[in-house]
Amino acid sequence: MNLAPMLKHEIKEIGLVSLYFFFCFSVFLTLKKLLLADYQIEVSVLSTAAISALIAAKIVIILDKTHAGRRFDAGYSLGLAALYKTLIYILVTFIVLYLEKLFHAYRETGTLTQAISYVWEHKDRNLIFAKVLCVGLAFFAYHLYAGLDRRLGEGTLRRLVTASPGDAPTPDKG
């Protein structure tokens, strides 16, 4: 088993997915920054987008290799499969984000019971809903693209999107 080609494939896979989520989160966070600018509140978008993109990419890549991530791929429409995956991935993302907040609260309070109480008391439903909505839209678009690419043949959709008009493969006119 040659390590170099496998490592190159993994870096390419993680890199492309991370780049996609970095773009999506950068757009969402830039909108947040623009909205908060009226209130003269500064937020950092670049580092947050980069870290969030890496986390989302890793969640997607891991879940895509599980039964839950592949369950509807073959037997259901592309839209239904993308919706199912989006809901599952949002749930996992919510759990990961909650555990992260719980971890930080535990470090501050020292006990798990106090940490849970702290996180529950300091929740912001509107912020949670906004994050779930933005992450959900990014996941749904990703799953539609990835599912379409799988059904057309790995890499076909990417070549169609990135190729010049004269170089792009054309579908059969049948």
Side-chain angles (χ1 to χ4, degrees):
M1 189 160 133
N2 197 347
L3 186 61
M6 184 177 76
L7 190 59
K8 183 179 176 181
H9 170 74
E10 290 297 317
I11 289 172
K12 183 179 177 184
E13 182 180 26
I14 291 171
L16 289 174
V17 176
S18 296
L19 190 61
Y20 164 75
F21 283 112
F22 179 73
F23 173 76
C24 290
F25 297 155
S26 293
V27 169
F28 296 142
L29 291 170
T30 300
L31 289 172
K32 177 181 178 180
K33 183 175 183 130
L34 292 171
L35 292 171
L36 291 175
D38 284 344
Y39 302 99
Q40 297 169 350
I41 299 173
E42 288 293 319
V43 292
S44 171
V45 297
L46 191 60
S47 60
T48 304
I51 292 168
S52 300
L54 289 171
I55 293 169
K58 198 61 183 167
I59 289 171
V60 165
I61 289 169
I62 290 171
L63 287 177
D64 277 351
K65 296 184 186 320
T66 66
H67 175 68
R70 297 185 315 259
R71 185 175 183 177
F72 285 113
D73 280 348
Y76 292 89
S77 72
L78 182 61
L80 186 60
L83 182 62
Y84 164 76
K85 284 182 173 188
T86 298
L87 294 175
I88 295 297
Y89 289 34
I90 285 174
L91 178 64
V92 171
T93 302
F94 178 77
I95 291 169
V96 168
L97 291 174
Y98 179 77
L99 290 175
E100 179 191 10
K101 287 185 183 289
L102 193 61
F103 174 74
H104 290 295
Y106 177 76
R107 287 180 53 197
E108 288 182 23
T109 62
T111 67
L112 185 60
T113 311
Q114 286 178 330
I116 292 171
S117 176
Y118 178 83
V119 170
W120 180 255
E121 290 170 6
H122 292 88
K123 68 186 175 304
D124 183 351
R125 286 186 184 97
N126 292 333
L127 184 60
I128 292 169
F129 183 67
K131 286 180 180 181
V132 167
L133 184 63
C134 291
V135 171
L137 288 171
F139 279 152
F140 188 69
Y142 170 81
H143 291 305
L144 282 176
Y145 178 89
L148 191 56
D149 190 51
R150 266 192 307 280
R151 291 185 185 191
L152 291 174
E154 293 285 332
T156 302
L157 188 56
R158 187 178 328 123
R159 285 188 300 277
L160 282 169
V161 170
T162 60
S164 299
D167 299 335
T170 56
D172 292 336
K173 301 275 185 204

